[in-house]
Amino acid sequence: MAESYPSVAGGQRITGTLLRSMLPQVVRKTADTSRAATTTRTADPHLTFEVEANAVYVLDGWLKYDGPIAADLNLDWTVPSGSLGEWTGFGAGVGTVISTNTTPTLTSDTQSSRGYLIRTETNDIDAARSFGCLGTVGLTPLTVMLNGTIRVGSTPGTYSMDWAQLVSDATAVTLYTDSWLRLQRIA
């Protein structure tokens, strides 16, 4: 059976509040955010939501970023106490890709005509995952496509995307304007 929120009964009065509760919440970065020389993941100033107790949400989003190869991007989430769920990010892996030549070899954090090693693991909703950088800061941004589910427990609160460098580096990792996240309540 498909889940939907809210459940509308026949004859129920349709109000603006009811209609707004059916809409997805969307947050978009309105400015670039750069973080250098830090591995302490903190909430992005634009990518946060308030979530309701005992609610279920689906998540999707798109992130555009770049930074030095030595640093990479490390994503995490802050969720209200008692929340469960999972997320995945489809983005450049950290470490190696298969190069294109007559003898395929593993190449560290480089672009090739075959592309990149893509991370596809599933993660607990509050677990961190890292994504690779190319090192050509400002020239070759990468992206991460996000999907997931959050089941909020009995405590409402803030759901935020937290991030930092995976390895501290003096050159910043930047999360760019127009990156976005969307939450749709389904139960």
Side-chain angles (χ1 to χ4, degrees), residues 38-128:
T38 183
T39 59
T40 302
R41 295 178 304 268
T42 55
D44 186 273
H46 305 105
L47 303 178
T48 64
F49 298 94
E50 292 303 312
V51 293
E52 300 295 324
N54 303 309
V56 178
Y57 298 87
V58 291
L59 161 77
D60 66 325
W62 177 81
L63 306 176
K64 177 182 174 184
Y65 72 97
D66 75 2
I69 289 173
D72 292 325
L73 172 68
N74 197 13
L75 298 180
D76 200 358
W77 305 90
T78 295
V79 298
S81 176
S83 295
L84 299 171
E86 300 206 24
W87 73 280
T88 189
F90 295 92
V94 174
T96 58
V97 299
I98 304 288
S99 69
T100 58
N101 58 30
T102 57
T103 308
T105 59
L106 294 176
T107 308
S108 181
D109 275 341
T110 59
Q111 181 180 13
S112 76
S113 59
R114 282 198 177 165
Y116 309 95
L117 174 68
I118 300 296
R119 296 205 78 151
T120 61
E121 306 95 336
T122 184
N123 312 289
D124 284 339
I125 197 62
D126 61 352

Coordinates of all heavy atoms in Angstrom, one line a residue, residues 38-128:
T38 N 39.7 21.8 8.4 CA 38.9 21.3 9.5 C 38.3 19.9 9.1 O 37.9 19.8 7.9 CB 37.7 22.2 9.8 OG1 37.0 21.6 10.9 CG2 36.8 22.5 8.7
T39 N 38.2 19.0 10.0 CA 37.5 17.7 9.8 C 36.3 17.6 10.7 O 35.7 16.6 10.8 CB 38.5 16.6 10.1 OG1 39.0 16.7 11.4 CG2 39.7 16.6 9.1
T40 N 36.0 18.7 11.4 CA 34.8 18.8 12.3 C 33.6 19.0 11.4 O 33.4 20.2 10.9 CB 35.0 19.8 13.4 OG1 36.2 19.5 14.1 CG2 33.8 19.8 14.3
R41 N 32.7 18.0 11.3 CA 31.5 18.2 10.5 C 30.5 19.1 11.2 O 30.2 18.8 12.4 CB 30.9 16.8 10.2 CG 31.8 16.0 9.3 CD 31.2 14.6 9.0 NE 30.9 13.9 10.2 CZ 31.7 13.0 10.8 NH1 32.9 12.8 10.3 NH2 31.4 12.4 11.9
T42 N 30.1 20.1 10.6 CA 29.1 21.0 11.1 C 28.0 21.3 10.1 O 28.1 21.1 8.9 CB 29.7 22.4 11.6 OG1 30.3 23.0 10.4 CG2 30.7 22.2 12.7
A43 N 26.8 21.7 10.6 CA 25.6 21.8 9.8 C 25.9 22.9 8.7 O 26.5 23.9 9.0 CB 24.4 22.3 10.6
D44 N 25.5 22.6 7.5 CA 25.5 23.6 6.4 C 24.5 24.7 6.8 O 23.4 24.4 7.2 CB 25.2 22.9 5.1 CG 25.4 23.9 4.0 OD1 24.4 24.7 3.7 OD2 26.5 23.9 3.4
P45 N 24.9 26.0 6.6 CA 24.0 27.0 7.0 C 22.7 27.1 6.2 O 21.7 27.8 6.6 CB 24.8 28.3 6.7 CG 25.9 27.9 5.8 CD 26.1 26.5 6.0
H46 N 22.6 26.4 5.1 CA 21.4 26.4 4.2 C 20.6 25.1 4.2 O 19.5 25.1 3.8 CB 21.8 26.8 2.8 CG 22.6 28.1 2.7 ND1 23.9 28.1 2.4 CD2 22.2 29.4 2.8 CE1 24.3 29.3 2.4 NE2 23.3 30.1 2.6
L47 N 21.2 24.0 4.5 CA 20.6 22.7 4.3 C 20.2 22.0 5.6 O 20.7 21.0 6.0 CB 21.6 21.8 3.5 CG 22.1 22.4 2.2 CD1 23.2 21.5 1.5 CD2 21.0 22.7 1.2
T48 N 19.2 22.7 6.2 CA 18.6 22.1 7.4 C 17.0 22.2 7.3 O 16.5 23.0 6.6 CB 19.0 22.9 8.7 OG1 18.6 24.3 8.6 CG2 20.5 22.9 8.8
F49 N 16.4 21.3 8.1 CA 14.9 21.2 8.1 C 14.5 21.0 9.6 O 15.3 20.5 10.4 CB 14.4 19.9 7.4 CG 14.7 19.9 5.9 CD1 15.9 19.2 5.5 CD2 13.9 20.5 5.0 CE1 16.1 19.2 4.1 CE2 14.1 20.4 3.7 CZ 15.2 19.7 3.2
E50 N 13.3 21.4 9.9 CA 12.6 21.0 11.1 C 11.7 19.8 10.8 O 10.9 19.9 9.9 CB 11.9 22.2 11.7 CG 12.8 23.3 12.2 CD 13.8 22.8 13.3 OE1 13.4 22.1 14.2 OE2 15.0 23.2 13.1
V51 N 11.9 18.7 11.6 CA 11.0 17.6 11.3 C 10.1 17.3 12.5 O 10.5 17.6 13.6 CB 11.9 16.3 11.0 CG1 12.6 16.5 9.6 CG2 12.9 16.0 12.1
E52 N 9.0 16.7 12.2 CA 8.0 16.4 13.2 C 8.2 15.0 13.9 O 8.7 14.1 13.3 CB 6.6 16.4 12.6 CG 6.2 17.7 11.9 CD 6.1 18.8 12.9 OE1 5.6 18.6 14.1 OE2 6.4 20.0 12.6
A53 N 7.8 14.9 15.2 CA 7.9 13.6 15.9 C 7.0 12.6 15.2 O 5.9 12.9 14.6 CB 7.4 13.8 17.3
N54 N 7.5 11.4 15.2 CA 6.7 10.2 14.7 C 6.4 10.3 13.2 O 5.3 9.8 12.8 CB 5.5 9.9 15.6 CG 5.9 9.7 17.0 OD1 6.7 8.9 17.3 ND2 5.2 10.5 17.9
A55 N 7.1 11.0 12.5 CA 6.9 11.2 11.0 C 7.9 10.4 10.2 O 9.0 10.1 10.7 CB 7.0 12.7 10.7
V56 N 7.5 10.1 9.0 CA 8.5 9.5 8.1 C 8.6 10.4 6.8 O 7.6 10.9 6.3 CB 7.9 8.1 7.6 CG1 8.8 7.4 6.6 CG2 7.7 7.2 8.8
Y57 N 9.9 10.6 6.4 CA 10.2 11.5 5.3 C 11.0 10.7 4.3 O 11.8 9.8 4.7 CB 11.0 12.7 5.7 CG 10.3 13.6 6.7 CD1 10.3 13.4 8.1 CD2 9.5 14.7 6.3 CE1 9.7 14.2 9.0 CE2 8.9 15.6 7.2 CZ 9.0 15.3 8.5 OH 8.4 16.2 9.4
V58 N 10.9 11.0 3.0 CA 11.9 10.6 2.0 C 12.7 11.8 1.7 O 12.2 13.0 1.7 CB 11.2 10.0 0.8 CG1 10.6 8.6 1.1 CG2 10.2 10.9 0.1
L59 N 14.0 11.6 1.3 CA 14.9 12.6 1.1 C 15.5 12.4 -0.3 O 15.8 11.3 -0.8 CB 16.1 12.5 2.1 CG 17.4 13.2 1.7 CD1 17.3 14.7 1.9 CD2 18.6 12.6 2.5
D60 N 15.7 13.5 -1.1 CA 16.5 13.5 -2.3 C 17.2 14.8 -2.4 O 16.8 15.8 -1.7 CB 15.7 13.1 -3.5 CG 14.7 14.2 -3.9 OD1 14.0 14.8 -3.1 OD2 14.5 14.4 -5.1
G61 N 18.2 14.9 -3.2 CA 19.0 16.2 -3.3 C 20.1 16.1 -4.3 O 20.4 15.0 -4.8
W62 N 20.7 17.2 -4.5 CA 21.9 17.3 -5.4 C 22.9 18.3 -4.8 O 22.5 19.4 -4.4 CB 21.3 17.9 -6.7 CG 22.4 18.1 -7.8 CD1 23.0 17.2 -8.6 CD2 22.9 19.4 -8.1 NE1 23.8 17.8 -9.4 CE2 23.8 19.2 -9.2 CE3 22.7 20.7 -7.7 CZ2 24.6 20.2 -9.8 CZ3 23.5 21.7 -8.3 CH2 24.4 21.5 -9.3
L63 N 24.1 17.9 -4.7 CA 25.2 18.7 -4.2 C 26.2 18.9 -5.2 O 26.7 18.0 -5.9 CB 25.8 18.1 -2.9 CG 24.9 17.6 -1.8 CD1 25.7 16.9 -0.7 CD2 24.2 18.9 -1.2
K64 N 26.7 20.1 -5.3 CA 27.8 20.5 -6.2 C 29.0 21.0 -5.3 O 28.8 21.8 -4.5 CB 27.4 21.6 -7.2 CG 28.5 22.0 -8.1 CD 28.0 23.2 -9.0 CE 29.2 23.7 -9.9 NZ 28.7 24.9 -10.7
Y65 N 30.2 20.4 -5.5 CA 31.3 20.7 -4.6 C 32.6 20.6 -5.4 O 32.7 20.0 -6.4 CB 31.3 19.8 -3.4 CG 31.7 18.4 -3.7 CD1 33.0 18.0 -3.5 CD2 30.8 17.5 -4.2 CE1 33.4 16.7 -3.8 CE2 31.1 16.2 -4.5 CZ 32.4 15.8 -4.3 OH 32.8 14.5 -4.6
D66 N 33.7 21.1 -4.8 CA 35.0 20.8 -5.2 C 36.0 21.0 -4.1 O 35.6 21.6 -3.0 CB 35.4 21.5 -6.5 CG 35.7 23.0 -6.3 OD1 35.7 23.5 -5.1 OD2 36.0 23.7 -7.3
G67 N 37.2 20.6 -4.3 CA 38.2 20.8 -3.3 C 39.5 20.1 -3.6 O 39.5 19.4 -4.7
P68 N 40.5 20.1 -2.8 CA 41.8 19.4 -3.1 C 41.7 17.9 -2.9 O 40.9 17.4 -2.1 CB 42.7 20.0 -2.0 CG 41.8 20.4 -0.9 CD 40.5 20.9 -1.5
I69 N 42.4 17.2 -3.7 CA 42.4 15.7 -3.7 C 42.8 15.3 -2.2 O 42.2 14.3 -1.7 CB 43.4 15.1 -4.7 CG1 42.9 15.3 -6.1 CG2 43.7 13.7 -4.4 CD1 43.9 14.9 -7.1
A70 N 43.7 16.0 -1.6 CA 44.1 15.5 -0.3 C 43.0 15.7 0.8 O 43.1 15.0 1.8 CB 45.3 16.4 0.2
A71 N 42.0 16.5 0.6 CA 41.0 16.8 1.6 C 39.7 15.9 1.5 O 39.3 15.3 2.4 CB 40.6 18.2 1.6
D72 N 39.2 15.8 0.3 CA 37.9 15.2 0.0 C 36.7 15.7 0.8 O 37.0 16.6 1.7 CB 38.0 13.6 0.2 CG 38.9 13.0 -0.8 OD1 38.9 13.5 -2.0 OD2 39.6 12.1 -0.5
L73 N 35.5 15.3 0.5 CA 34.3 15.8 1.2 C 33.7 14.8 2.1 O 33.6 13.6 1.7 CB 33.3 16.2 0.1 CG 31.9 16.5 0.6 CD1 31.9 17.9 1.4 CD2 30.9 16.6 -0.6
N74 N 33.4 15.1 3.3 CA 32.9 14.2 4.3 C 31.5 14.7 4.7 O 31.3 15.7 5.3 CB 33.8 14.0 5.5 CG 33.5 12.8 6.3 OD1 32.8 11.9 5.9 ND2 34.1 12.8 7.5
L75 N 30.4 13.9 4.4 CA 29.0 14.3 4.7 C 28.5 13.5 5.9 O 28.9 12.3 6.0 CB 28.1 13.9 3.5 CG 28.3 14.7 2.2 CD1 27.3 14.2 1.2 CD2 28.3 16.2 2.4
D76 N 27.7 14.1 6.6 CA 27.0 13.4 7.8 C 25.7 14.1 8.0 O 25.4 15.1 7.3 CB 27.9 13.6 9.0 CG 27.6 12.6 10.1 OD1 26.7 11.8 10.0 OD2 28.3 12.7 11.2
W77 N 24.9 13.6 8.9 CA 23.6 14.2 9.2 C 23.4 14.3 10.7 O 23.8 13.4 11.5 CB 22.5 13.3 8.6 CG 22.7 13.0 7.2 CD1 23.3 12.0 6.6 CD2 22.2 13.8 6.1 NE1 23.3 12.1 5.3 CE2 22.6 13.2 4.9 CE3 21.4 15.0 6.0 CZ2 22.3 13.7 3.7 CZ3 21.1 15.5 4.8 CH2 21.5 14.9 3.6
T78 N 22.7 15.4 11.1 CA 22.3 15.5 12.5 C 20.8 15.2 12.5 O 20.1 15.8 11.6 CB 22.5 16.9 13.1 OG1 23.9 17.1 13.2 CG2 21.9 17.1 14.5
V79 N 20.3 14.3 13.3 CA 18.9 13.9 13.4 C 18.4 14.0 14.8 O 19.2 13.8 15.7 CB 18.7 12.5 12.8 CG1 19.1 12.4 11.3 CG2 19.5 11.4 13.6
P80 N 17.1 14.2 15.0 CA 16.6 14.1 16.4 C 16.9 12.8 17.0 O 16.9 11.7 16.3 CB 15.1 14.4 16.2 CG 15.0 15.1 14.9 CD 16.1 14.5 14.0
S81 N 17.0 12.8 18.3 CA 17.2 11.5 19.1 C 16.1 10.5 18.8 O 14.9 10.9 18.7 CB 17.2 11.9 20.6 OG 17.3 10.7 21.3
G82 N 16.5 9.3 18.6 CA 15.5 8.2 18.3 C 15.2 8.0 16.9 O 14.4 7.2 16.5
S83 N 15.8 8.8 16.0 CA 15.5 8.7 14.5 C 16.2 7.6 13.9 O 17.4 7.3 14.3 CB 15.9 10.0 13.8 OG 15.1 11.1 14.2
L84 N 15.6 6.9 13.0 CA 16.2 5.8 12.2 C 16.0 6.1 10.7 O 15.2 6.9 10.3 CB 15.5 4.5 12.6 CG 15.6 4.1 14.1 CD1 14.7 2.9 14.3 CD2 17.1 3.8 14.4
G85 N 16.7 5.3 9.9 CA 16.6 5.4 8.5 C 17.9 5.2 7.8 O 18.9 4.8 8.4
E86 N 17.9 5.4 6.5 CA 19.1 5.2 5.7 C 19.2 6.2 4.6 O 18.2 6.8 4.2 CB 19.1 3.8 5.1 CG 19.1 2.7 6.2 CD 19.7 1.4 5.8 OE1 20.5 1.4 4.9 OE2 19.3 0.4 6.4
W87 N 20.4 6.4 4.1 CA 20.7 7.3 3.0 C 21.8 6.8 2.2 O 22.6 5.9 2.6 CB 21.0 8.8 3.5 CG 22.4 8.9 4.1 CD1 22.8 8.6 5.4 CD2 23.5 9.4 3.5 NE1 24.1 8.9 5.5 CE2 24.6 9.4 4.4 CE3 23.8 9.9 2.2 CZ2 25.9 9.9 4.1 CZ3 25.1 10.4 1.9 CH2 26.1 10.4 2.8
T88 N 21.8 7.2 0.9 CA 22.9 6.9 0.1 C 23.3 8.1 -0.8 O 22.4 9.0 -1.0 CB 22.6 5.7 -0.9 OG1 23.8 5.3 -1.6 CG2 21.5 6.1 -1.9
G89 N 24.5 8.2 -1.1 CA 24.9 9.3 -2.0 C 25.6 8.7 -3.2 O 26.5 7.8 -3.1
F90 N 25.2 9.1 -4.4 CA 25.9 8.6 -5.6 C 26.9 9.7 -6.0 O 26.5 10.7 -6.6 CB 24.9 8.3 -6.7 CG 24.0 7.2 -6.4 CD1 22.7 7.5 -5.8 CD2 24.3 5.9 -6.7 CE1 21.9 6.4 -5.5 CE2 23.5 4.9 -6.4 CZ 22.3 5.1 -5.8
G91 N 28.2 9.5 -5.7 CA 29.2 10.5 -6.0 C 30.5 9.8 -6.2 O 30.7 8.6 -6.0
A92 N 31.5 10.6 -6.5 CA 32.9 10.1 -6.7 C 33.4 9.5 -5.5 O 33.3 10.0 -4.4 CB 33.8 11.3 -7.2
G93 N 34.0 8.3 -5.7 CA 34.6 7.6 -4.6 C 35.9 8.2 -4.1 O 36.5 9.0 -4.9
V94 N 36.3 7.8 -3.0 CA 37.6 8.3 -2.5 C 38.6 7.3 -2.8 O 38.5 6.1 -2.4 CB 37.5 8.6 -0.9 CG1 38.9 8.9 -0.4 CG2 36.5 9.6 -0.6
G95 N 39.7 7.6 -3.5 CA 40.8 6.7 -3.7 C 41.1 6.3 -5.1 O 42.1 6.8 -5.6
T96 N 40.3 5.5 -5.8 CA 40.7 5.0 -7.0 C 39.6 4.9 -8.1 O 38.4 4.9 -7.8 CB 41.2 3.6 -6.9 OG1 40.2 2.8 -6.3 CG2 42.5 3.5 -6.0
V97 N 40.0 5.0 -9.3 CA 39.2 4.8 -10.5 C 39.9 3.8 -11.4 O 41.1 3.7 -11.3 CB 38.8 6.1 -11.2 CG1 38.0 7.0 -10.3 CG2 40.0 6.7 -11.8
I98 N 39.2 3.2 -12.4 CA 39.8 2.4 -13.4 C 40.2 3.3 -14.5 O 39.4 4.0 -15.1 CB 38.9 1.3 -13.9 CG1 38.4 0.4 -12.7 CG2 39.5 0.4 -14.9 CD1 39.4 -0.5 -12.1
S99 N 41.5 3.3 -14.9 CA 41.9 4.1 -16.0 C 41.6 3.4 -17.4 O 41.4 2.2 -17.4 CB 43.4 4.5 -15.9 OG 44.1 3.3 -16.1
T100 N 41.6 4.2 -18.5 CA 41.4 3.6 -19.8 C 42.7 3.5 -20.5 O 43.3 4.5 -20.9 CB 40.4 4.4 -20.6 OG1 40.9 5.7 -20.7 CG2 39.0 4.4 -19.9
N101 N 43.1 2.3 -20.7 CA 44.2 2.0 -21.6 C 44.2 0.5 -21.9 O 43.2 -0.1 -21.5 CB 45.6 2.5 -21.0 CG 45.9 1.9 -19.7 OD1 45.4 0.7 -19.4 ND2 46.6 2.6 -18.8
T102 N 45.1 0.0 -22.6 CA 45.1 -1.4 -22.9 C 45.2 -2.3 -21.7 O 44.8 -3.4 -21.8 CB 46.2 -1.8 -24.0 OG1 47.4 -1.4 -23.4 CG2 45.9 -1.1 -25.3
T103 N 45.8 -1.8 -20.7 CA 45.9 -2.6 -19.4 C 45.3 -1.7 -18.3 O 45.9 -0.8 -17.8 CB 47.4 -2.8 -19.1 OG1 48.1 -3.4 -20.2 CG2 47.5 -3.7 -17.9
P104 N 44.0 -2.0 -18.0 CA 43.3 -1.2 -17.0 C 44.1 -1.2 -15.7 O 44.6 -2.3 -15.2 CB 42.0 -1.9 -16.8 CG 41.8 -2.6 -18.1 CD 43.2 -3.0 -18.6
T105 N 44.2 -0.1 -15.1 CA 44.9 0.1 -13.8 C 44.1 1.0 -12.9 O 43.3 1.8 -13.3 CB 46.3 0.7 -13.9 OG1 46.2 2.0 -14.6 CG2 47.2 -0.2 -14.8
L106 N 44.3 0.9 -11.6 CA 43.7 1.7 -10.6 C 44.5 3.0 -10.5 O 45.7 3.0 -10.5 CB 43.6 1.1 -9.3 CG 42.7 -0.1 -9.2 CD1 42.7 -0.7 -7.8 CD2 41.3 0.3 -9.5
T107 N 43.8 4.2 -10.6 CA 44.4 5.5 -10.6 C 43.8 6.3 -9.4 O 42.6 6.3 -9.3 CB 44.2 6.2 -11.9 OG1 44.6 5.3 -12.9 CG2 45.0 7.5 -11.9
S108 N 44.6 6.9 -8.7 CA 44.1 7.6 -7.5 C 43.4 9.0 -7.8 O 44.1 9.8 -8.5 CB 45.2 7.9 -6.5 OG 44.8 8.5 -5.4
D109 N 42.1 9.1 -7.4 CA 41.4 10.4 -7.6 C 41.6 11.2 -8.8 O 41.9 12.4 -8.8 CB 41.7 11.3 -6.4 CG 40.9 11.0 -5.2 OD1 39.8 10.3 -5.3 OD2 41.3 11.4 -4.1
T110 N 41.6 10.5 -10.0 CA 41.7 11.2 -11.2 C 40.5 11.0 -12.2 O 39.9 9.9 -12.1 CB 43.0 10.8 -12.0 OG1 43.0 9.4 -12.2 CG2 44.2 11.2 -11.2
Q111 N 40.3 11.9 -13.0 CA 39.2 11.8 -14.0 C 39.8 11.0 -15.2 O 40.9 11.2 -15.6 CB 38.8 13.1 -14.4 CG 37.7 13.1 -15.4 CD 37.2 14.6 -15.8 OE1 37.9 15.5 -15.5 NE2 36.1 14.7 -16.5
S112 N 39.0 10.1 -15.8 CA 39.4 9.5 -17.0 C 38.2 9.4 -17.9 O 37.1 9.7 -17.5 CB 40.0 8.1 -16.7 OG 38.9 7.2 -16.4
S113 N 38.4 8.9 -19.1 CA 37.3 8.8 -20.1 C 36.2 7.8 -19.6 O 35.1 7.8 -20.0 CB 37.7 8.5 -21.5 OG 38.5 7.3 -21.5
R114 N 36.6 6.9 -18.7 CA 35.7 5.9 -18.1 C 34.9 6.5 -16.9 O 34.0 5.8 -16.4 CB 36.4 4.6 -17.7 CG 36.7 3.7 -18.8 CD 37.0 2.4 -18.3 NE 37.3 1.5 -19.4 CZ 37.8 0.3 -19.3 NH1 38.1 -0.1 -18.1 NH2 38.0 -0.5 -20.3
G115 N 35.4 7.6 -16.4 CA 34.7 8.2 -15.3 C 35.3 7.9 -13.9 O 36.5 7.9 -13.9
Y116 N 34.5 7.8 -12.9 CA 35.0 7.7 -11.6 C 34.5 6.4 -10.9 O 33.4 5.9 -11.3 CB 34.5 8.9 -10.7 CG 34.7 10.2 -11.3 CD1 33.8 10.8 -12.1 CD2 35.9 10.8 -11.1 CE1 34.0 12.1 -12.6 CE2 36.2 12.1 -11.7 CZ 35.2 12.7 -12.4 OH 35.4 13.9 -13.0
L117 N 35.1 6.0 -9.8 CA 34.6 5.0 -9.0 C 33.4 5.7 -8.2 O 33.6 6.7 -7.6 CB 35.6 4.5 -8.0 CG 35.2 3.6 -6.9 CD1 34.8 2.2 -7.5 CD2 36.3 3.4 -5.8
I118 N 32.2 5.1 -8.3 CA 31.1 5.7 -7.7 C 30.7 5.0 -6.4 O 30.6 3.8 -6.4 CB 29.8 5.7 -8.7 CG1 30.2 6.5 -9.9 CG2 28.6 6.2 -8.0 CD1 30.4 7.9 -9.8
R119 N 30.5 5.8 -5.4 CA 30.0 5.2 -4.1 C 28.5 5.0 -4.1 O 27.8 5.8 -4.5 CB 30.4 6.2 -3.0 CG 31.9 6.4 -2.8 CD 32.2 6.8 -1.5 NE 32.2 5.6 -0.6 CZ 32.9 5.5 0.5 NH1 33.7 6.5 0.8 NH2 32.9 4.4 1.2
T120 N 28.1 3.8 -3.7 CA 26.7 3.5 -3.8 C 26.2 2.8 -2.5 O 25.1 2.3 -2.4 CB 26.3 2.6 -4.9 OG1 27.1 1.3 -4.8 CG2 26.6 3.2 -6.3
E121 N 27.1 2.8 -1.4 CA 26.7 2.1 -0.2 C 25.5 2.8 0.5 O 25.4 4.0 0.4 CB 27.9 2.1 0.8 CG 29.2 1.5 0.3 CD 30.1 2.6 -0.2 OE1 29.7 3.7 -0.6 OE2 31.3 2.4 -0.3
T122 N 24.8 2.0 1.2 CA 23.7 2.6 2.0 C 24.3 2.8 3.4 O 25.3 2.1 3.9 CB 22.5 1.6 2.1 OG1 21.5 2.3 2.9 CG2 22.8 0.3 2.8
N123 N 23.8 3.9 4.1 CA 24.4 4.3 5.4 C 23.3 4.5 6.4 O 22.2 4.9 6.0 CB 25.1 5.6 5.2 CG 26.1 5.6 4.1 OD1 27.1 5.0 4.1 ND2 25.8 6.3 3.0
D124 N 23.5 4.3 7.6 CA 22.5 4.7 8.6 C 22.3 6.2 8.5 O 23.2 6.9 8.1 CB 23.0 4.4 10.1 CG 22.9 2.9 10.4 OD1 22.1 2.2 9.7 OD2 23.6 2.5 11.3
I125 N 21.1 6.7 8.9 CA 20.7 8.1 8.6 C 21.7 9.0 9.3 O 21.8 10.2 8.9 CB 19.2 8.3 9.0 CG1 18.7 9.6 8.4 CG2 19.0 8.2 10.5 CD1 18.7 9.6 7.0
D126 N 22.3 8.6 10.4 CA 23.3 9.5 11.1 C 24.7 9.1 10.9 O 25.6 9.5 11.7 CB 22.9 9.7 12.5 CG 23.0 8.3 13.3 OD1 23.2 7.3 12.6 OD2 22.8 8.4 14.5
A127 N 25.0 8.4 9.8 CA 26.4 7.9 9.6 C 27.1 8.8 8.5 O 26.4 9.2 7.6 CB 26.4 6.5 9.2
A128 N 28.4 9.0 8.7 CA 29.1 9.8 7.7 C 29.6 9.0 6.5 O 29.7 7.7 6.6 CB 30.3 10.4 8.4

